[in-house]
Amino acid sequence: MTPHFTLAELTVTSHRQFDNTPNEAETANLQRLAEFLEQVKTALDGKPIMINSAFRSKQVNDSVGSKDTSQHRIGCAADLRVPGMTPDAVVRAVIAAGLPFDQIIREFDAWTHISVTNTPDGTPRRQALIIDKAGTRPFA
């Protein structure tokens, strides 16, 4: 897909009993996501980005307890870790770089969720949030 992000990496799942193959539209979204992740990598001074989860088929998404409205379902979101950086530091760096993210979420202080708009011509919301045991709130 891009120099640092492969289709296999963006569709990997530990729920191997379920097919996690994206359709044509989902693959196009994953291409946009991969291109955006290249911008994130640049903003993070080239540090490695480890993808926990990106595209999720309905079965995979259901098995992890996520909502059908999750941007993972359509290939527009990735959960990631950056070795040597806290999720807070990743969020702050992406915001500071002025990247056109749709959402960036520090989740459970363990990983960072980042997404592109659901359509190529969408306007990024640049919504920054925290989700943890206390609930959902703006990132501050």
Side-chain angles (χ1 to χ4, degrees):
M1 299 202 104
T2 64
H4 298 101
F5 301 97
T6 66
L7 181 61
E9 180 178 24
L10 296 175
T11 58
V12 71
T13 179
S14 59
H15 299 275
R16 300 191 202 303
Q17 70 272 30
F18 301 127
D19 182 27
N20 202 44
T21 305
N23 65 30
E24 189 175 323
E26 294 159 347
T27 301
N29 286 338
L30 286 169
Q31 180 66 45
R32 287 190 306 113
L33 179 64
E35 290 167 5
F36 178 72
L37 290 171
E38 292 290 347
Q39 295 177 51
V40 172
K41 185 173 181 68
T42 298
L44 301 178
D45 297 323
K47 289 182 175 61
I49 295 176
M50 314 301 291
I51 304 296
N52 296 342
S53 176
F55 174 74
R56 295 183 197 143
S57 67
K58 176 151 177 53
Q59 287 180 308
V60 170
N61 200 58
D62 289 350
S63 72
V64 299
S66 190
K67 298 177 184 177
D68 280 339
T69 56
S70 169
Q71 288 179 296
H72 289 278
R73 282 284 297 113
I74 58 173
C76 289
D79 293 338
L80 54 89
R81 293 174 293 107
V82 179
M85 290 184 78
T86 65
D88 267 358
V90 172
V91 171
R92 291 186 197 290
V94 170
I95 291 170
L99 297 180
F101 60 88
D102 191 52
Q103 282 189 319
I104 191 163
I105 307 171
R106 184 193 82 196
E107 293 195 40
F108 301 96
D109 207 23
W111 66 86
T112 305
H113 167 101
I114 193 161
S115 67
V116 296
T117 59
N118 290 356
T119 60
D121 59 347
T123 301
R125 293 178 286 173
R126 291 187 49 86
Q127 185 177 48
L129 301 169
I130 295 171
I131 295 177
D132 57 21
K133 290 180 183 177
T136 303
R137 60 194 177 278
F139 185 90

mmCIF file of all heavy atoms in Angstrom, residues 53-97:
data_model
loop_
_atom_site.group_PDB
_atom_site.id
_atom_site.type_symbol
_atom_site.label_atom_id
_atom_site.label_comp_id
_atom_site.label_asym_id
_atom_site.label_seq_id
_atom_site.Cartn_x
_atom_site.Cartn_y
_atom_site.Cartn_z
ATOM 1 N N SER A 53 -4.700 -2.840 15.340
ATOM 2 C CA SER A 53 -5.928 -3.181 14.636
ATOM 3 C C SER A 53 -6.254 -2.046 13.682
ATOM 4 O O SER A 53 -6.163 -0.885 14.050
ATOM 5 C CB SER A 53 -7.068 -3.356 15.648
ATOM 6 O OG SER A 53 -8.292 -3.603 14.998
ATOM 7 N N ALA A 54 -6.640 -2.397 12.475
ATOM 8 C CA ALA A 54 -7.124 -1.380 11.532
ATOM 9 C C ALA A 54 -8.464 -1.883 11.006
ATOM 10 O O ALA A 54 -9.449 -1.839 11.731
ATOM 11 C CB ALA A 54 -6.108 -1.103 10.427
ATOM 12 N N PHE A 55 -8.500 -2.410 9.779
ATOM 13 C CA PHE A 55 -9.775 -2.901 9.241
ATOM 14 C C PHE A 55 -10.309 -4.061 10.075
ATOM 15 O O PHE A 55 -9.550 -4.954 10.482
ATOM 16 C CB PHE A 55 -9.612 -3.358 7.784
ATOM 17 C CG PHE A 55 -10.864 -4.005 7.252
ATOM 18 C CD1 PHE A 55 -11.966 -3.232 6.938
ATOM 19 C CD2 PHE A 55 -10.945 -5.373 7.105
ATOM 20 C CE1 PHE A 55 -13.141 -3.824 6.485
ATOM 21 C CE2 PHE A 55 -12.100 -5.978 6.636
ATOM 22 C CZ PHE A 55 -13.203 -5.189 6.328
ATOM 23 N N ARG A 56 -11.635 -4.045 10.300
ATOM 24 C CA ARG A 56 -12.304 -5.158 10.967
ATOM 25 C C ARG A 56 -13.578 -5.511 10.208
ATOM 26 O O ARG A 56 -14.467 -4.672 10.055
ATOM 27 C CB ARG A 56 -12.716 -4.784 12.394
ATOM 28 C CG ARG A 56 -11.578 -4.499 13.328
ATOM 29 C CD ARG A 56 -12.136 -4.226 14.723
ATOM 30 N NE ARG A 56 -11.161 -3.571 15.554
ATOM 31 C CZ ARG A 56 -11.458 -2.626 16.443
ATOM 32 N NH1 ARG A 56 -12.718 -2.238 16.608
ATOM 33 N NH2 ARG A 56 -10.522 -2.081 17.173
ATOM 34 N N SER A 57 -13.667 -6.739 9.741
ATOM 35 C CA SER A 57 -14.920 -7.209 9.155
ATOM 36 C C SER A 57 -15.997 -7.178 10.239
ATOM 37 O O SER A 57 -15.692 -7.041 11.427
ATOM 38 C CB SER A 57 -14.750 -8.645 8.639
ATOM 39 O OG SER A 57 -14.554 -9.530 9.735
ATOM 40 N N LYS A 58 -17.238 -7.319 9.856
ATOM 41 C CA LYS A 58 -18.328 -7.291 10.846
ATOM 42 C C LYS A 58 -18.108 -8.356 11.911
ATOM 43 O O LYS A 58 -18.260 -8.076 13.105
ATOM 44 C CB LYS A 58 -19.685 -7.479 10.172
ATOM 45 C CG LYS A 58 -20.811 -7.558 11.209
ATOM 46 C CD LYS A 58 -22.112 -7.078 10.712
ATOM 47 C CE LYS A 58 -23.236 -7.228 11.719
ATOM 48 N NZ LYS A 58 -23.019 -6.656 13.041
ATOM 49 N N GLN A 59 -17.740 -9.570 11.501
ATOM 50 C CA GLN A 59 -17.534 -10.641 12.476
ATOM 51 C C GLN A 59 -16.401 -10.316 13.440
ATOM 52 O O GLN A 59 -16.520 -10.536 14.642
ATOM 53 C CB GLN A 59 -17.253 -11.964 11.770
ATOM 54 C CG GLN A 59 -18.473 -12.571 11.113
ATOM 55 C CD GLN A 59 -18.126 -13.887 10.440
ATOM 56 O OE1 GLN A 59 -17.193 -13.943 9.649
ATOM 57 N NE2 GLN A 59 -18.874 -14.920 10.766
ATOM 58 N N VAL A 60 -15.299 -9.802 12.914
ATOM 59 C CA VAL A 60 -14.173 -9.446 13.779
ATOM 60 C C VAL A 60 -14.580 -8.298 14.703
ATOM 61 O O VAL A 60 -14.319 -8.333 15.912
ATOM 62 C CB VAL A 60 -12.920 -9.073 12.949
ATOM 63 C CG1 VAL A 60 -11.829 -8.478 13.837
ATOM 64 C CG2 VAL A 60 -12.393 -10.296 12.206
ATOM 65 N N ASN A 61 -15.233 -7.298 14.150
ATOM 66 C CA ASN A 61 -15.658 -6.144 14.935
ATOM 67 C C ASN A 61 -16.609 -6.570 16.057
ATOM 68 O O ASN A 61 -16.467 -6.131 17.203
ATOM 69 C CB ASN A 61 -16.331 -5.114 14.030
ATOM 70 C CG ASN A 61 -16.365 -3.748 14.640
ATOM 71 O OD1 ASN A 61 -15.336 -3.173 14.976
ATOM 72 N ND2 ASN A 61 -17.558 -3.208 14.781
ATOM 73 N N ASP A 62 -17.567 -7.431 15.728
ATOM 74 C CA ASP A 62 -18.503 -7.934 16.741
ATOM 75 C C ASP A 62 -17.756 -8.713 17.826
ATOM 76 O O ASP A 62 -18.068 -8.597 19.016
ATOM 77 C CB ASP A 62 -19.572 -8.827 16.121
ATOM 78 C CG ASP A 62 -20.574 -8.066 15.267
ATOM 79 O OD1 ASP A 62 -20.580 -6.810 15.289
ATOM 80 O OD2 ASP A 62 -21.357 -8.744 14.546
ATOM 81 N N SER A 63 -16.755 -9.491 17.419
ATOM 82 C CA SER A 63 -16.034 -10.340 18.378
ATOM 83 C C SER A 63 -15.213 -9.527 19.369
ATOM 84 O O SER A 63 -14.937 -10.008 20.471
ATOM 85 C CB SER A 63 -15.150 -11.354 17.655
ATOM 86 O OG SER A 63 -14.038 -10.715 17.069
ATOM 87 N N VAL A 64 -14.833 -8.300 19.004
ATOM 88 C CA VAL A 64 -14.088 -7.448 19.940
ATOM 89 C C VAL A 64 -15.020 -6.510 20.698
ATOM 90 O O VAL A 64 -14.572 -5.687 21.491
ATOM 91 C CB VAL A 64 -12.944 -6.659 19.255
ATOM 92 C CG1 VAL A 64 -11.937 -7.605 18.635
ATOM 93 C CG2 VAL A 64 -13.464 -5.664 18.241
ATOM 94 N N GLY A 65 -16.320 -6.613 20.446
ATOM 95 C CA GLY A 65 -17.301 -5.839 21.182
ATOM 96 C C GLY A 65 -17.423 -4.397 20.746
ATOM 97 O O GLY A 65 -17.880 -3.547 21.508
ATOM 98 N N SER A 66 -17.044 -4.101 19.517
ATOM 99 C CA SER A 66 -17.122 -2.730 19.020
ATOM 100 C C SER A 66 -18.450 -2.491 18.308
ATOM 101 O O SER A 66 -19.130 -3.427 17.894
ATOM 102 C CB SER A 66 -15.952 -2.453 18.071
ATOM 103 O OG SER A 66 -15.877 -1.086 17.754
ATOM 104 N N LYS A 67 -18.780 -1.222 18.151
ATOM 105 C CA LYS A 67 -20.033 -0.830 17.502
ATOM 106 C C LYS A 67 -19.921 -0.955 15.982
ATOM 107 O O LYS A 67 -18.850 -0.778 15.413
ATOM 108 C CB LYS A 67 -20.375 0.616 17.850
ATOM 109 C CG LYS A 67 -20.602 0.859 19.319
ATOM 110 C CD LYS A 67 -20.852 2.328 19.580
ATOM 111 C CE LYS A 67 -20.994 2.594 21.065
ATOM 112 N NZ LYS A 67 -21.159 4.029 21.335
ATOM 113 N N ASP A 68 -21.062 -1.184 15.326
ATOM 114 C CA ASP A 68 -21.093 -1.249 13.862
ATOM 115 C C ASP A 68 -20.686 0.076 13.225
ATOM 116 O O ASP A 68 -20.256 0.099 12.078
ATOM 117 C CB ASP A 68 -22.488 -1.639 13.364
ATOM 118 C CG ASP A 68 -22.744 -3.135 13.456
ATOM 119 O OD1 ASP A 68 -21.773 -3.909 13.521
ATOM 120 O OD2 ASP A 68 -23.924 -3.521 13.447
ATOM 121 N N THR A 69 -20.819 1.174 13.955
ATOM 122 C CA THR A 69 -20.459 2.493 13.424
ATOM 123 C C THR A 69 -18.963 2.788 13.534
ATOM 124 O O THR A 69 -18.513 3.841 13.089
ATOM 125 C CB THR A 69 -21.238 3.600 14.160
ATOM 126 O OG1 THR A 69 -20.984 3.492 15.567
ATOM 127 C CG2 THR A 69 -22.738 3.496 13.891
ATOM 128 N N SER A 70 -18.193 1.869 14.082
ATOM 129 C CA SER A 70 -16.750 2.068 14.211
ATOM 130 C C SER A 70 -16.116 2.305 12.850
ATOM 131 O O SER A 70 -16.418 1.623 11.872
ATOM 132 C CB SER A 70 -16.107 0.824 14.846
ATOM 133 O OG SER A 70 -14.698 0.890 14.736
ATOM 134 N N GLN A 71 -15.222 3.270 12.789
ATOM 135 C CA GLN A 71 -14.515 3.540 11.532
ATOM 136 C C GLN A 71 -13.597 2.382 11.131
ATOM 137 O O GLN A 71 -13.206 2.284 9.973
ATOM 138 C CB GLN A 71 -13.743 4.852 11.642
ATOM 139 C CG GLN A 71 -14.654 6.067 11.630
ATOM 140 C CD GLN A 71 -13.880 7.364 11.755
ATOM 141 O OE1 GLN A 71 -13.238 7.616 12.763
ATOM 142 N NE2 GLN A 71 -13.933 8.174 10.714
ATOM 143 N N HIS A 72 -13.282 1.496 12.067
ATOM 144 C CA HIS A 72 -12.513 0.291 11.730
ATOM 145 C C HIS A 72 -13.281 -0.559 10.718
ATOM 146 O O HIS A 72 -12.676 -1.211 9.876
ATOM 147 C CB HIS A 72 -12.242 -0.551 12.982
ATOM 148 C CG HIS A 72 -11.271 0.046 13.928
ATOM 149 N ND1 HIS A 72 -9.908 -0.060 13.762
ATOM 150 C CD2 HIS A 72 -11.454 0.755 15.065
ATOM 151 C CE1 HIS A 72 -9.297 0.548 14.765
ATOM 152 N NE2 HIS A 72 -10.218 1.057 15.566
ATOM 153 N N ARG A 73 -14.604 -0.553 10.818
ATOM 154 C CA ARG A 73 -15.443 -1.384 9.937
ATOM 155 C C ARG A 73 -15.283 -1.042 8.465
ATOM 156 O O ARG A 73 -15.481 -1.884 7.607
ATOM 157 C CB ARG A 73 -16.927 -1.233 10.327
ATOM 158 C CG ARG A 73 -17.334 -2.013 11.535
ATOM 159 C CD ARG A 73 -17.479 -3.492 11.228
ATOM 160 N NE ARG A 73 -18.534 -3.711 10.251
ATOM 161 C CZ ARG A 73 -18.330 -4.161 9.008
ATOM 162 N NH1 ARG A 73 -17.125 -4.463 8.578
ATOM 163 N NH2 ARG A 73 -19.337 -4.318 8.187
ATOM 164 N N ILE A 74 -14.954 0.206 8.168
ATOM 165 C CA ILE A 74 -14.856 0.628 6.766
ATOM 166 C C ILE A 74 -13.427 0.922 6.342
ATOM 167 O O ILE A 74 -13.188 1.442 5.261
ATOM 168 C CB ILE A 74 -15.785 1.828 6.478
ATOM 169 C CG1 ILE A 74 -15.452 3.011 7.381
ATOM 170 C CG2 ILE A 74 -17.250 1.410 6.617
ATOM 171 C CD1 ILE A 74 -16.213 4.282 7.039
ATOM 172 N N GLY A 75 -12.463 0.581 7.204
ATOM 173 C CA GLY A 75 -11.056 0.750 6.840
ATOM 174 C C GLY A 75 -10.524 2.157 7.004
ATOM 175 O O GLY A 75 -9.512 2.503 6.395
ATOM 176 N N CYS A 76 -11.173 2.954 7.846
ATOM 177 C CA CYS A 76 -10.743 4.349 8.022
ATOM 178 C C CYS A 76 -10.039 4.612 9.345
ATOM 179 O O CYS A 76 -9.690 5.762 9.633
ATOM 180 C CB CYS A 76 -11.951 5.282 7.893
ATOM 181 S SG CYS A 76 -12.574 5.404 6.211
ATOM 182 N N ALA A 77 -9.809 3.581 10.169
ATOM 183 C CA ALA A 77 -9.200 3.792 11.484
ATOM 184 C C ALA A 77 -8.158 2.730 11.782
ATOM 185 O O ALA A 77 -8.244 1.597 11.306
ATOM 186 C CB ALA A 77 -10.272 3.783 12.568
ATOM 187 N N ALA A 78 -7.198 3.139 12.611
ATOM 188 C CA ALA A 78 -6.177 2.214 13.098
ATOM 189 C C ALA A 78 -5.917 2.487 14.569
ATOM 190 O O ALA A 78 -5.930 3.641 15.007
ATOM 191 C CB ALA A 78 -4.879 2.369 12.315
ATOM 192 N N ASP A 79 -5.710 1.417 15.317
ATOM 193 C CA ASP A 79 -5.223 1.516 16.685
ATOM 194 C C ASP A 79 -3.740 1.185 16.611
ATOM 195 O O ASP A 79 -3.351 0.190 15.989
ATOM 196 C CB ASP A 79 -5.927 0.517 17.604
ATOM 197 C CG ASP A 79 -7.404 0.825 17.784
ATOM 198 O OD1 ASP A 79 -7.803 1.989 17.566
ATOM 199 O OD2 ASP A 79 -8.155 -0.101 18.148
ATOM 200 N N LEU A 80 -2.922 2.026 17.241
ATOM 201 C CA LEU A 80 -1.482 1.849 17.090
ATOM 202 C C LEU A 80 -0.728 2.150 18.373
ATOM 203 O O LEU A 80 -1.242 2.794 19.280
ATOM 204 C CB LEU A 80 -0.975 2.735 15.946
ATOM 205 C CG LEU A 80 -1.298 4.231 16.007
ATOM 206 C CD1 LEU A 80 -0.221 4.995 16.755
ATOM 207 C CD2 LEU A 80 -1.450 4.776 14.599
ATOM 208 N N ARG A 81 0.497 1.662 18.385
ATOM 209 C CA ARG A 81 1.461 1.949 19.449
ATOM 210 C C ARG A 81 2.742 2.417 18.782
ATOM 211 O O ARG A 81 3.072 1.974 17.675
ATOM 212 C CB ARG A 81 1.762 0.694 20.273
ATOM 213 C CG ARG A 81 0.608 0.187 21.089
ATOM 214 C CD ARG A 81 0.912 -1.157 21.772
ATOM 215 N NE ARG A 81 1.068 -2.231 20.779
ATOM 216 C CZ ARG A 81 2.216 -2.801 20.434
ATOM 217 N NH1 ARG A 81 3.348 -2.451 21.006
ATOM 218 N NH2 ARG A 81 2.254 -3.752 19.518
ATOM 219 N N VAL A 82 3.459 3.277 19.465
ATOM 220 C CA VAL A 82 4.748 3.751 18.977
ATOM 221 C C VAL A 82 5.759 3.466 20.085
ATOM 222 O O VAL A 82 5.734 4.115 21.140
ATOM 223 C CB VAL A 82 4.711 5.257 18.635
ATOM 224 C CG1 VAL A 82 6.074 5.730 18.146
ATOM 225 C CG2 VAL A 82 3.630 5.539 17.591
ATOM 226 N N PRO A 83 6.638 2.475 19.893
ATOM 227 C CA PRO A 83 7.618 2.156 20.930
ATOM 228 C C PRO A 83 8.418 3.401 21.334
ATOM 229 O O PRO A 83 8.855 4.176 20.494
ATOM 230 C CB PRO A 83 8.521 1.110 20.250
ATOM 231 C CG PRO A 83 7.624 0.464 19.236
ATOM 232 C CD PRO A 83 6.744 1.583 18.737
ATOM 233 N N GLY A 84 8.526 3.582 22.643
ATOM 234 C CA GLY A 84 9.273 4.722 23.161
ATOM 235 C C GLY A 84 8.441 5.981 23.323
ATOM 236 O O GLY A 84 8.959 7.009 23.770
ATOM 237 N N MET A 85 7.149 5.930 22.945
ATOM 238 C CA MET A 85 6.264 7.083 23.109
ATOM 239 C C MET A 85 4.995 6.647 23.829
ATOM 240 O O MET A 85 4.443 5.595 23.529
ATOM 241 C CB MET A 85 5.869 7.683 21.751
ATOM 242 C CG MET A 85 6.974 8.380 21.011
ATOM 243 S SD MET A 85 6.375 9.163 19.481
ATOM 244 C CE MET A 85 5.594 10.650 20.163
ATOM 245 N N THR A 86 4.525 7.473 24.740
ATOM 246 C CA THR A 86 3.247 7.208 25.381
ATOM 247 C C THR A 86 2.131 7.576 24.407
ATOM 248 O O THR A 86 2.343 8.386 23.491
ATOM 249 C CB THR A 86 3.075 8.048 26.661
ATOM 250 O OG1 THR A 86 3.026 9.429 26.289
ATOM 251 C CG2 THR A 86 4.204 7.793 27.656
ATOM 252 N N PRO A 87 0.941 7.012 24.597
ATOM 253 C CA PRO A 87 -0.185 7.440 23.763
ATOM 254 C C PRO A 87 -0.422 8.954 23.839
ATOM 255 O O PRO A 87 -0.739 9.579 22.829
ATOM 256 C CB PRO A 87 -1.365 6.643 24.322
ATOM 257 C CG PRO A 87 -0.727 5.393 24.851
ATOM 258 C CD PRO A 87 0.573 5.865 25.444
ATOM 259 N N ASP A 88 -0.257 9.555 25.019
ATOM 260 C CA ASP A 88 -0.391 11.013 25.145
ATOM 261 C C ASP A 88 0.590 11.739 24.232
ATOM 262 O O ASP A 88 0.226 12.706 23.563
ATOM 263 C CB ASP A 88 -0.126 11.470 26.589
ATOM 264 C CG ASP A 88 -1.378 11.577 27.425
ATOM 265 O OD1 ASP A 88 -2.484 11.334 26.901
ATOM 266 O OD2 ASP A 88 -1.247 11.912 28.618
ATOM 267 N N ALA A 89 1.829 11.281 24.219
ATOM 268 C CA ALA A 89 2.852 11.932 23.393
ATOM 269 C C ALA A 89 2.515 11.798 21.911
ATOM 270 O O ALA A 89 2.728 12.740 21.129
ATOM 271 C CB ALA A 89 4.233 11.347 23.691
ATOM 272 N N VAL A 90 1.977 10.657 21.519
ATOM 273 C CA VAL A 90 1.578 10.464 20.117
ATOM 274 C C VAL A 90 0.458 11.441 19.762
ATOM 275 O O VAL A 90 0.527 12.127 18.735
ATOM 276 C CB VAL A 90 1.142 9.001 19.855
ATOM 277 C CG1 VAL A 90 0.543 8.849 18.466
ATOM 278 C CG2 VAL A 90 2.324 8.052 20.049
ATOM 279 N N VAL A 91 -0.553 11.508 20.613
ATOM 280 C CA VAL A 91 -1.671 12.420 20.354
ATOM 281 C C VAL A 91 -1.166 13.857 20.238
ATOM 282 O O VAL A 91 -1.508 14.574 19.295
ATOM 283 C CB VAL A 91 -2.758 12.296 21.451
ATOM 284 C CG1 VAL A 91 -3.803 13.389 21.313
ATOM 285 C CG2 VAL A 91 -3.416 10.923 21.402
ATOM 286 N N ARG A 92 -0.349 14.279 21.181
ATOM 287 C CA ARG A 92 0.158 15.662 21.170
ATOM 288 C C ARG A 92 0.986 15.953 19.912
ATOM 289 O O ARG A 92 0.863 17.029 19.319
ATOM 290 C CB ARG A 92 0.974 15.945 22.424
ATOM 291 C CG ARG A 92 0.125 15.989 23.674
ATOM 292 C CD ARG A 92 0.920 16.406 24.905
ATOM 293 N NE ARG A 92 0.237 16.076 26.133
ATOM 294 C CZ ARG A 92 -0.861 16.656 26.590
ATOM 295 N NH1 ARG A 92 -1.427 17.597 25.898
ATOM 296 N NH2 ARG A 92 -1.407 16.285 27.728
ATOM 297 N N ALA A 93 1.796 14.997 19.493
ATOM 298 C CA ALA A 93 2.631 15.204 18.306
ATOM 299 C C ALA A 93 1.785 15.317 17.041
ATOM 300 O O ALA A 93 2.055 16.160 16.178
ATOM 301 C CB ALA A 93 3.644 14.064 18.173
ATOM 302 N N VAL A 94 0.765 14.479 16.924
ATOM 303 C CA VAL A 94 -0.103 14.520 15.739
ATOM 304 C C VAL A 94 -0.881 15.834 15.706
ATOM 305 O O VAL A 94 -0.995 16.474 14.650
ATOM 306 C CB VAL A 94 -1.042 13.290 15.703
ATOM 307 C CG1 VAL A 94 -2.100 13.437 14.628
ATOM 308 C CG2 VAL A 94 -0.226 12.010 15.485
ATOM 309 N N ILE A 95 -1.398 16.254 16.847
ATOM 310 C CA ILE A 95 -2.117 17.528 16.908
ATOM 311 C C ILE A 95 -1.178 18.679 16.555
ATOM 312 O O ILE A 95 -1.515 19.549 15.746
ATOM 313 C CB ILE A 95 -2.755 17.731 18.297
ATOM 314 C CG1 ILE A 95 -3.905 16.736 18.497
ATOM 315 C CG2 ILE A 95 -3.259 19.167 18.455
ATOM 316 C CD1 ILE A 95 -4.450 16.692 19.922
ATOM 317 N N ALA A 96 0.020 18.679 17.145
ATOM 318 C CA ALA A 96 0.991 19.758 16.904
ATOM 319 C C ALA A 96 1.417 19.833 15.444
ATOM 320 O O ALA A 96 1.687 20.928 14.923
ATOM 321 C CB ALA A 96 2.216 19.565 17.802
ATOM 322 N N ALA A 97 1.435 18.683 14.768
ATOM 323 C CA ALA A 97 1.841 18.657 13.359
ATOM 324 C C ALA A 97 0.749 19.196 12.437
ATOM 325 O O ALA A 97 0.987 19.416 11.251
ATOM 326 C CB ALA A 97 2.217 17.235 12.950
#
